Amino acid sequence: MNSTEMAPLRRELFSGEQLTRHARSIAVHHRLGTTHRANPLLDRLSANEEILREFNRTTLDVPAGRHITPAAEWLLDNFYLIEEQIQMARRHLPRSYSRELPCLINTTLPGLPRVYDIVIEVLSHTDAQLDADSMTAFIQSYQTVESLHLGELWAVPIMLRLGLIENLQRIATRLMAARIDRDHADEWVKRLQQMAEKNPSHLVVVVADMAKCDLPVSSAFVAAFTEQLSRHSPVLHLARTWIEQHLAAHGLSIEQLVHQENQNQAANQISVSHSITSLRQLTVIDWKDFVESLSQVEAT
């Protein structure tokens, strides 16, 4: 599983009715293995922790005056909570316990516990906004097709914690990649400005150097590059003309990518705030009542 290729848990938002229909759909789709495999979730937790620590360290090292996105600020301000939740997840999911959970065979990650996949589906279609009633309704609907074991129901809060940490890691990975692209943009604008002040007629040399490089066409790079250009001398219009042509060759435009970057930043901020708030919610939900209301053993 390559974390850098994985999108945040942010798919189409479902209404309550859509969620219950989706629960029945994935219950039909799920196929359980007959033998227990090594559970990958603890290893995944360690990998997520490493990436989140790297994000925290590099964000703290950002020079004063450099732009930090609202999502990055949320992560930075709540990193202590994230660390607490990682340690709690590790304590509550010993390997011996996780090996007892029924695992799926029709997933991209062999050995993935069924209950983890259920939790990920709920988080994905609610933008990580935890609601005990929605989770209860989802599992009730799932169990109209397939019953869950009692151990799986008790594992829901652990899996939610793991899923939310996974989501924060995926967003942090994207934020770090965007920061690198913005830094590249700053470096090129700085070179352009220095040449404009020193020898304006040689600006074309810097633009030629840009053309030789494999510059990113990401929304973060383009938004930062054009914003920086607008603050400097009009003589830098040559660079803007070149970037417009460079993007056009890829079927893109400055306006399109700036709009996309604004949307990305807003969506990331919402997803991070939802994930952080949901991690806090985990400690106030009465999980005993949750399990008893869903346990078919209790019902019998």
Side-chain angles (χ1 to χ4, degrees):
M1 183 186 292
N2 188 339
S3 63
T4 60
E5 296 177 356
M6 301 194 72
L9 304 178
R10 192 163 60 217
R11 284 182 267 168
E12 180 187 355
L13 286 178
F14 281 174
S15 66
E17 183 180 346
Q18 287 175 311
L19 274 174
T20 54
R21 284 204 305 268
H22 187 57
R24 291 191 291 271
S25 173
I26 65 170
V28 171
H29 174 72
H30 277 169
R31 294 289 181 271
L32 295 179
T34 55
T35 58
H36 290 290
R37 296 170 176 261
N39 189 318
L41 291 180
L42 281 172
D43 291 338
R44 185 66 184 164
L45 178 64
S46 296
N48 288 342
E49 180 181 22
E50 184 178 341
I51 292 168
L52 286 164
R53 285 180 179 273
E54 174 68 7
F55 169 84
N56 189 63
R57 184 189 65 77
T58 56
T59 306
L60 287 172
D61 288 343
V62 171
R66 283 289 184 93
H67 175 67
I68 296 180
T69 64
E73 289 182 350
W74 261 89
L75 281 169
L76 199 61
D77 291 343
N78 291 278
F79 187 70
Y80 71 94
L81 172 68
I82 297 169
E83 283 200 306
E84 288 175 359
Q85 296 294 321
I86 289 172
Q87 298 311 318
M88 193 177 297
R90 190 169 280 120
R91 287 197 305 271
H92 289 180
L93 190 69
R95 290 189 185 275
S96 58
Y97 172 49
S98 61
R99 279 195 295 266
E100 296 173 5
L101 297 172
C103 294
L104 298 172
I105 57 174
N106 56 337
T107 65
T108 56
L109 190 62
L112 195 70
R114 171 173 62 176
V115 64
Y116 181 76
D117 194 64
I118 289 171
V119 160
I120 291 297
E121 288 296 326
V122 177
L123 293 176
S124 296
H125 291 290
T126 58
D127 198 2
Q129 199 164 18
L130 177 60
D131 177 76
D133 291 338
S134 295
M135 181 64 69
T136 299
F138 191 92
I139 293 179
Q140 283 175 335
S141 182
Y142 186 101
Q143 291 196 123
T144 62
V145 179
E146 289 289 339
S147 297
L148 296 182
H149 298 184
L150 187 60
E152 291 179 285
L153 295 176
W154 278 112
V156 167
I158 305 171
M159 298 300 154
L160 281 167
R161 186 169 281 110
L162 292 172
L164 291 165
I165 292 167
E166 171 75 25
N167 194 38
L168 290 172
Q169 175 274 122
R170 294 185 189 190
I171 297 170
T173 297
R174 292 193 162 201
L175 292 176
M176 285 191 288
R179 185 196 304 148
I180 291 170
D181 285 351
R182 285 195 300 273
D183 288 345
H184 283 324
D186 290 344
E187 290 166 7
W188 279 109
V189 172
K190 185 177 180 180
R191 284 186 60 183
L192 288 163
Q193 181 63 17
Q194 288 173 342
M195 184 61 76
E197 293 171 355
K198 180 181 176 182
N199 193 343
S201 64
H202 284 194
L203 263 180
V204 66
V205 175
V206 181
V207 174
D209 287 342
M210 291 175 62
K212 292 174 187 176
C213 294
D214 186 21
L215 289 182
V217 290
S218 70
S219 61
F221 177 87
V222 173
F225 186 79
T226 54
E227 180 187 0
Q228 291 276 4
L229 284 183
S230 67
R231 298 177 185 174
H232 294 289
S233 169
V235 75
L236 300 185
H237 72 275
L238 177 65
R240 182 181 174 93
T241 300
W242 178 83
I243 198 74
E244 286 175 343
Q245 294 170 346
H246 180 63
L247 293 175
H250 292 81
L252 300 168
S253 71
I254 290 174
E255 293 74 18
Q256 175 188 349
L257 289 176
V258 169
H259 177 67
Q260 180 183 321
E261 179 61 14
N262 291 335
Q263 286 188 317
N264 288 345
Q265 290 195 23
N268 285 335
Q269 181 183 5
I270 292 170
S271 293
V272 169
S273 66
H274 283 174
S275 296
I276 296 293
T277 302
S278 293
L279 283 173
R280 296 184 188 279
Q281 278 288 104
L282 287 173
T283 61
V284 299
I285 294 174
D286 188 330
W287 293 108
K288 183 173 182 293
D289 284 351
F290 173 85
V291 171
E292 288 178 351
S293 70
L294 291 168
S295 170
Q296 297 190 342
V297 173
E298 290 287 340
T300 301

